[in-house]
Each structure stands twice: as C-alpha cells, then as structure tokens.
Amino acid sequence: MSSVEQQGEPPPVSNSSSTCEVVEADSVNKYEAVAPHWFYSKVIDSRERWIPFSRQDSEKLEEAHNSRREEEQRVVPAEGGRYDVHLQKRLRHAVYWEEEVSEVRRCTWFYKGDKDNKYIPYPESFSEELEETYMIAVTLDEWKRKLESPTREVIILHNPKLMVHYQPVATSDDWGATPAEQGRPRTVKRGVENISVDIPCGEPLQIDHLVFVVHGIGPACDIRFRSIIQCVNDFRAVSLSMLQAHFKKAQEQQQIGRVEFLPVNWHSPLHSTGVDVDLERITLPSINRLRHFINDTILDVFFYNSATYCQTIVDTVASEMNRLYLLFLQRNPDFKGGVSIAGHSLGSLILFDLLTNQKDSSEDEDGKREGSQMGAYERGDTGGVKEILKKLELSEYYSVFEKERVDSQALAVCTEEELKDMGIPLGPRMKILHYVSSKAGSQQDAQRQAPLPAGNEAKREDAPKAALGSAPQPGSGSSARGGAKRQNLDVGLGQVSANYPQLVYKPSIFFAFGSPIGMFLTVRGVKRIDPDYSLPTCKGFFNIFHPYDPVAYRIEPMIAPDLEFEPMLLPHHKGRKRMHLELREGLTRMGMDLKNNLLGSLKIAWQSFTRAPLPAVEAAASADAENEAEASLEKQTVHSDATPEEPAAGGKEETPPVNVGMLNGGHRIDYVLQEKPIESFNEYLFALQGHLCYWESEDTVLLILKEIYHTQGITLDQPLQ
C-alpha cells in the first residue's frame, strides 16, 4: 500500500508541474504573424509624412497583394476612387487632378521620428528581416538580438515590449564620439495597432451626388495657403461626419451613401499662358513680395474682366468640369445621381456667368436639334450648315461653306461682307442673314423673364442689354471658338464679350460661398432682377456668406428692392443658435421692453399733469386711459401666448412670406452663417477669416447636404431649429 502510495503520489505532482511549464512556455513562445497595413507618403510643411490608408482601402490592397502578386499592371482604386494605387510600382496616382506621385508601402514595423512623435514605417524588405528576427527570438525565447539596416542603423530587440533603434555609428572617432552620444535611441514598434495613429474606416461605396467646386482668386484658398485640392478634401471629410451625425437613419437603412466633391482648378492654366512673364517684365522691384502676391491673386479679378483672359477662364472652367464629369462616369458607370456646382468668391461669379449663358434644350425644336448635334459641332462637323441650307433651299451653296470649313457656330456670326467675300449672291445672303437674325430674336423672346437694368426700359433697341441671356446680333465681328456653341455673346449683365461654352449636364443646384455676384451685377448696371427669372438649366441657387465676409454681397434685395428683410440665418449644426447670439437677442428684447414701459409710464404721468380739469375732458382722458390699459393688457396676453412658440429667433424671420422670385424656385436665396463668439469681439480682425471659413464650416456643409438629399426625398433625422 505504501509502495503504491509512493509510486502513485509523486507522478501526479510531477505531471501537473510539467504541464504548467509547457503551457506557460507555449503561451510565451507562441508566435503570431503581424497584421500589415498600407501607408502612403505625403509632403506636409516641407516634411515627409506617412499617412495610413483607410481600413477599407488597406484590406483591398492586401487582398490584391496576396491574390495577384505577380501581375505588374494591377491597379487598385483607393480613397473613394480619387486615387489609383499601382501595386507593382508601389505608387499612388491622382485620378482627377494633377498631383505629385507618392510612394506606397506595406507596413509592419515602425520607428519614432527624431523631431516629433510621428512613427515612420521601415522599408518592406527590412521589415521582413525584422519580422524574421522577431519570430526566431519569440520561438527560441532568445532576446537581445541585433540587426543592422542597410544604412548602418542598429535595431536591438531586448524583449517583446522593448525594442530600440540606434543612429548609425560614425566611421571615424576623431572627436571621441560614442554610440550613446550619437543621438537618443528611437522606439521601435511592431504592428500598426501599437502606434498612435488615426485610421479612418473608409468611405461609403455608393455615391448619390456629384459636386464640382470652383475656387476664387489666387492659388491659395484658405488662411493656411492651401490649394483647392486640400480645401475640398477637408470639405469632403466634414460632409462625411455630417452624414453620420444627421443622416444616421438613412445610412442605417442604406438609403444614402455619400456626396462626392471634386475640385476645379482654373488658376494654373490661366497663369501658364505666359502672362506671368509679361507681368514680371513690368513689375517694379520694390516691395517685391507684395507685388508678386498682387500679381498672383488680385489681378485674377482684372483678368476675368479682360476679353482675352475671360475667354481663357470660362473655357478652362467649363472644359474641366465636362472632363471631370465624363471621367467620373467612366469610372462609375452605375452612377445615377445628379450634379451640382459650387463656387467660392470669384469662382461663383464665373459659374453664374456660365449658367446664365447655358442653352435650355427644351426652349424650342431648333434648340433640341442643335443640342443633339452638339457632338458634331465639337468635332467641327458642317452637317448643321447643310441642314440649314436645305431648309432655306440653298443646298447648291453647301460646297462653298464646306470649302471654307464654316460650321453652324461660324455661320451664326458671319457678316454680310464675309458672305459676299465667299461668293454668295445677294438673294441667298439675305435669306441666310434673315434666318440667323430671326433665330437670335426667338432666343431673346424665349428669355424675356431676364433682369433688365432700371432706367433702360426705353432702350430696348439695344438688344444686348435687353435681357439676360440675349443672343448676339449677326453683325458681331467676334470669331467663334471650336468646341463651344456661339450664343449669348453679351448677356445684358455687362459681361465681357466671350463665347460661353455649354456644359454636358444640367446642374441641380448652384451654391455660392462668399460671393460678389450681387456687387458685379450692380457694377455692370443691373439694378433689378426680374422675379420670374431663373437660370436656364439650373433651378436651385443658394448664396451663403459669413456676416463679416468683406467680399460677399446679397442677391435677394436685387429681386425685391422695395422690401427690407434679413437673410436666412443658418442654424448651427448642433441645433438652435449660438449662445452669444441668443444672449444678445434676449438683452435687446429686454431693453426694448424696458424702453417701451418707461415711455408709457412717462406718457401717462405727463398726461396726468397737463390734462384739463373740465369734467368732459376728464371723462375722455379716463376713457383713453382705460382703452390704453386694455390694449396693453391684450398685447401682453398675445405676447405671453406667443412666447412658447418662439424657441429661436429664426422663426420670426420666416413668419412674413417674402417673394424672392424664381431664381431658387421660389425659396430663399441668401443664407448667413452664425459668427463664432470670439469673432463677435472685433469684426475687422476676423474679416479675412470670414471670407476663407467655408471649407471647414459644418453649417455650410450641412445646408448643402440637406438641399441635395431633399431633391431625393430624404430629410434630416431631426430638423434643426
């Protein structure tokens, strides 16, 4: 029995202890492969930064890397389809705009930078060596392993929690330097989950709407001197956060995806025409920086008012928006949403002039026919001229027009002298000129709802000033440009004589940020916009501005000049008004009440001292006092009843209906942002910031999303007060 106990008792103890040791050893020496994440490099403030792709994009890149590693032409769209990643070359290319190509890495190991706390990924080949060394150290439980990089930097793996990176040792010790004196060791981390970096989840794949954004003067668009691409990136990021905050129900029900914003750059093509060299030649050498700043920014306004450079600008904006739209459709063949356009500062004026000169294809049958032949005209096809001559029974002269390469656009601006030089007899010349002039008149009659400058009613014989969107006279000497319809040469708004191109789509809504449209219309001689006027191809128009923006002007007073009313106050994206505005209005209302009560008391006291002692007069005075008391009581009662119905002062502005015309489909046009509390201390100090604040304004973005999704029957989760 004792032998059994001696033989039986020790083995269980021995077995349990050995099992424990095995379990602990397995847990300690168990190796798990690191999860890679994809990064791309970007130069920010003259320093290279490594930015992580979203989790969604990184998973797509990793899947493509594992499945088709040998395919050299493998291209993966990333960041909402705005970039393409070439896996074989490890490069990231912009799709819609010109941007420097950036390097891409599949990252697993990182070290901390020497000048900041940003982690930098090791090259992929060296990361594989680090991972292999780490796996051996974990498996054998042998640490303090050293690994030297190709740049002679030493990495020491002390334990799983402590891994350091030492600067390269100098080849010469003439100064007595030691490795410890060559710089502080850097921290090494394995896996992206162990470094402090924000990794976005990704963007919704479904795109509901497309918005083109046109910048204003100069290459910089905000107070940090960032480009239009960077500002629109911020705008897009704000829109994604607003969708998650205010359209959560629609997102959960998969009714909506997102809105895509694409920048439109016209400044670079304008200043690449050689005009900068001409300006440099005549610019004075004094105050050099200020003069170059003016040449690069302020002069854009003068360029737009020049016939030569105005044509360059409108051609660039229209062609770029058409190119972006067609490229977007090519990359998103399933897109069924609408298109809107937005412009900041001078960019809004450029878009407004383009929109006022668009041809509505539903105006008449000829307009429809011309719209269907737009592609032929853009190719320089003279088939349109052949149809016109056939209609006029002048087909025998088609060979003359074909020889001179005259298409419909050129025919619309041909003069009698030019037709005569071509050898066209008098009778056919008169037929052609009459056809062109009658067609121009029909276009003008179709747009009689356009604004007419006050005081010009007696000058209707001046056709270019008669109405917005009027067509040019046949005798105009300007030449036609290829790729754009010859119409609306001078639209009656004092616009520079230019050939405004046609867009290949009809915008749903036009948003203007900090826009000087109202000022330019006034300077051009327009005092009033007809309430019945609307943009030919765009039915929505919103004029959004900051109250301290020195460049912004209103539109509604030009439609209803006899009325005085405030612009619509944009609600804060978190609801209601900002606290300092409510406090200010409350104090103002309290002051008005005290003033009225004081004046009423003084009036009653004065009447008691000056009234006559006659009984009849006393009776009348007492009756008046009673009537005033009853009226004041009724007023107080009405005020007390209305008080609960006024949670926000904005409700008072919406009570009286204001007719602001059809420029925005009968809805309000002018919308003013709420200034921040710090901005209310000094208006002049924040004037420049007020003009450049729209790119990061949640209130502006929320209004755009609200109006865009309203066209699809989707509303906010909770209406803002």
Side-chain angles (χ1 to χ4, degrees):
M1 184 71 177
S2 61
S3 63
V4 174
E5 290 179 356
Q6 289 177 359
Q7 293 177 358
E9 289 180 359
V13 176
S14 176
N15 289 340
S16 62
S17 62
S18 62
T19 304
C20 249
E21 290 176 359
V22 171
V23 171
E24 290 179 0
D26 289 344
S27 62
V28 171
N29 299 335
K30 186 177 181 181
Y31 167 77
E32 294 182 359
V34 63
H37 195 92
W38 291 75
F39 282 66
Y40 64 91
S41 66
K42 190 173 184 180
V43 178
I44 302 176
D45 297 332
S46 301
R47 299 189 63 183
E48 185 183 45
R49 305 284 189 186
W50 285 91
I51 302 174
F53 283 98
S54 67
R55 298 188 185 279
Q56 179 183 6
D57 290 338
S58 182
E59 290 175 0
K60 289 195 302 182
L61 291 169
E62 184 65 18
E63 181 182 356
H65 170 77
N66 294 330
S67 61
R68 302 187 179 185
R69 191 169 184 174
E70 301 299 329
E71 187 175 352
E72 295 184 0
Q73 302 299 326
R74 180 62 174 169
V75 178
V76 179
E79 300 183 59
R82 297 180 296 275
Y83 290 88
D84 281 339
V85 176
H86 297 254
L87 282 180
Q88 183 70 17
K89 300 178 180 179
R90 291 295 196 267
L91 295 176
R92 169 178 167 269
H93 295 262
V95 174
Y96 296 104
W97 54 80
E98 294 183 1
E99 184 178 312
E100 187 177 353
V101 177
S102 57
E103 182 185 354
V104 174
R105 283 184 187 175
R106 181 176 180 263
C107 305
T108 53
W109 285 78
F110 307 84
Y111 67 93
K112 186 177 290 187
D114 54 350
K115 294 184 179 180
D116 53 24
N117 294 325
K118 303 293 184 182
Y119 279 91
I120 303 172
Y122 285 105
E124 293 186 36
S125 58
F126 187 65
S127 294
E128 292 177 0
E129 295 182 26
L130 280 171
E131 184 65 18
E132 184 178 353
T133 304
Y134 177 85
M135 179 183 65
I136 296 174
V138 170
T139 305
L140 302 179
D141 196 19
E142 296 178 359
W143 294 94
K144 294 187 178 181
R145 290 179 173 269
K146 292 184 180 181
L147 189 66
E148 186 173 344
S149 70
T151 57
R152 300 190 62 202
E153 297 175 343
V154 178
I155 294 89
I156 301 179
L157 308 182
H158 292 284
N159 57 59
K161 301 297 183 182
L162 180 60
M163 296 173 283
V164 292
H165 175 127
Y166 291 97
Q167 298 285 348
V169 180
T171 57
S172 176
D173 289 335
D174 295 340
W175 299 94
T178 62
E181 296 172 349
Q182 303 263 336
R184 190 173 56 183
R186 307 176 185 179
T187 304
V188 177
K189 295 291 184 181
R190 176 179 178 267
V192 70
E193 65 276 2
N194 293 319
I195 65 174
S196 56
V197 61
D198 294 330
I199 302 178
C201 295
E203 303 177 11
L205 299 178
Q206 176 184 337
I207 300 177
D208 305 318
H209 204 87
L210 178 62
V211 180
F212 295 120
V213 184
V214 181
H215 65 85
I217 62 173
C221 297
D222 68 350
I223 204 165
R224 288 178 281 176
F225 295 95
R226 297 185 304 166
S227 67
I228 179 63
I229 297 173
Q230 294 171 304
C231 291
V232 172
N233 286 343
D234 278 356
F235 206 77
R236 187 186 305 109
V238 174
S239 72
L240 292 175
S241 64
M242 290 295 100
L243 283 174
Q244 294 175 359
H246 296 277
F247 293 88
K248 192 172 183 179
K249 293 181 180 178
Q251 281 189 331
E252 291 176 351
Q253 298 174 2
Q254 297 183 348
Q255 294 179 338
I256 64 173
R258 64 182 177 91
V259 176
E260 180 63 278
F261 296 88
L262 295 180
V264 178
N265 182 10
W266 56 266
H267 181 270
S268 298
L270 170 65
H271 288 263
S272 63
T273 58
V275 65
D276 287 350
V277 178
D278 299 334
L279 287 173
E280 183 69 24
R281 194 179 298 117
I282 61 176
T283 301
L284 299 180
S286 59
I287 52 175
N288 186 47
R289 292 186 178 181
L290 179 59
R291 294 186 188 277
H292 279 83
F293 174 78
I294 292 174
N295 289 349
D296 210 26
T297 56
I298 307 299
L299 289 189
D300 286 348
V301 179
F302 298 96
F303 284 138
Y304 188 65
N305 285 281
S306 162
T308 301
Y309 295 106
C310 176
Q311 187 67 63
T312 301
I313 292 173
V314 297
D315 283 348
T316 301
V317 172
S319 63
E320 183 68 3
M321 289 197 297
N322 288 340
R323 181 189 71 85
L324 291 174
Y325 177 70
L326 296 176
L327 179 59
F328 179 83
L329 292 183
Q330 179 182 348
R331 294 178 62 88
N332 300 272
D334 297 330
F335 176 72
K336 304 297 182 183
V339 183
S340 294
I341 55 179
H344 176 241
S345 190
L346 181 63
S348 64
L349 177 67
I350 298 171
L351 292 177
F352 182 80
D353 289 343
L354 273 173
L355 291 177
T356 56
N357 286 274
Q358 294 301 295
K359 173 72 175 179
D360 188 1
S361 59
S362 61
E363 286 182 0
D364 49 40
E365 294 182 0
D366 291 337
K368 290 181 180 179
R369 190 178 300 111
E370 290 179 2
S372 64
Q373 295 173 349
M374 176 65 73
Y377 294 159
E378 291 180 350
R379 294 190 300 269
D381 194 355
T382 56
V385 176
K386 187 175 183 179
E387 290 189 6
I388 294 173
L389 295 177
K390 184 177 180 180
K391 180 187 293 187
L392 299 176
E393 299 181 353
L394 300 174
S395 300
E396 63 269 21
Y397 297 103
Y398 173 66
S399 59
V400 178
F401 289 94
E402 186 179 23
K403 180 181 179 181
E404 297 292 337
R405 301 182 65 84
V406 176
D407 58 8
S408 300
Q409 300 173 11
L411 181 63
V413 294
C414 280
T415 63
E416 183 178 359
E417 292 296 327
E418 292 169 342
L419 293 174
K420 185 177 180 181
D421 293 341
M422 292 169 60
I424 306 299
L426 178 62
R429 286 204 308 269
M430 293 299 100
K431 279 187 177 183
I432 294 172
L433 291 175
H434 176 71
Y435 174 82
V436 173
S437 61
S438 62
K439 187 172 182 180
S442 64
Q443 290 179 356
Q444 179 177 336
D445 293 338
Q447 298 181 0
R448 283 295 183 185
Q449 69 271 30
L452 179 67
N456 284 358
E457 290 82 355
K459 299 181 181 180
R460 291 194 178 272
E461 67 274 12
D462 188 4
K465 293 184 179 180
L468 186 146
S470 60
Q473 294 301 314
S476 174
S478 301
S479 62
R481 292 177 63 98
K485 295 190 69 176
R486 183 68 185 181
Q487 69 163 69
N488 302 339
L489 186 69
D490 188 333
V491 296
L493 294 175
Q495 293 175 353
V496 178
S497 177
N499 184 11
Y500 290 93
Q502 300 296 297
L503 301 176
V504 296
Y505 55 87
K506 291 184 179 182
S508 302
I509 309 175
F510 169 37
F511 300 97
F513 311 144
S515 173
I517 293 175
M519 180 270 290
F520 270 86
L521 294 183
T522 302
V523 171
R524 290 170 177 177
V526 178
K527 295 185 178 180
R528 184 174 181 271
I529 299 177
D530 194 303
D532 294 332
Y533 176 72
S534 63
L535 298 173
T537 59
C538 182
K539 303 308 178 185
F541 177 31
F542 290 86
N543 183 36
I544 307 168
F545 53 90
H546 190 279
Y548 303 154
D549 188 342
V551 182
Y553 291 82
R554 293 190 62 187
I555 296 293
E556 292 174 342
M558 300 188 69
I559 302 174
D562 299 331
L563 299 178
E564 292 186 4
F565 53 96
E566 297 295 324
M568 290 291 291
L569 185 67
L570 269 179
H572 192 262
H573 65 280
K574 293 184 179 179
R576 297 179 62 84
K577 287 187 179 181
R578 294 184 185 269
M579 184 177 296
H580 71 285
L581 294 180
E582 291 189 347
L583 180 61
R584 181 193 303 171
E585 291 186 355
L587 293 175
T588 302
R589 191 181 302 112
M590 185 184 302
M592 291 298 296
D593 292 341
L594 291 175
K595 179 181 177 182
N596 294 334
N597 293 335
L598 180 60
L599 291 177
S601 301
L602 291 176
K603 182 179 179 182
I604 295 174
W606 178 257
Q607 289 177 351
S608 65
F609 283 114
T610 58
R611 63 184 178 183
L614 296 176
V617 177
E618 289 181 357
S622 62
D624 292 340
E626 291 177 359
N627 293 334
E628 289 183 2
E630 292 177 359
S632 63
L633 182 61
E634 291 178 359
K635 184 177 181 181
Q636 292 179 0
T637 303
V638 172
H639 180 72
S640 62
D641 292 340
T643 300
E645 302 295 327
E646 300 178 0
K652 291 185 177 181
E653 298 176 358
E654 299 177 357
T655 301
V658 179
N659 181 16
V660 292
M662 298 304 297
L663 195 57
N664 190 26
H667 303 291
R668 295 294 300 270
I669 300 171
D670 293 337
Y671 286 80
V672 60
L673 295 169
Q674 301 180 35
E675 73 273 15
K676 298 178 181 178
I678 192 174
E679 294 173 345
S680 61
F681 288 110
N682 192 316
E683 299 178 359
Y684 297 94
L685 186 62
F686 293 94
L688 179 60
Q689 174 63 24
H691 183 59
L692 304 174
C693 70
Y694 306 99
W695 307 114
E696 298 177 351
S697 171
E698 295 92 343
D699 301 344
T700 301
V701 174
L702 186 57
L703 174 66
I704 293 175
L705 296 177
K706 173 177 171 289
E707 296 301 328
I708 286 176
Y709 281 111
H710 179 72
T711 61
Q712 303 179 16
I714 298 174
T715 58
L716 299 171
D717 292 341
Q718 293 182 352
L720 299 177
Q721 296 179 347

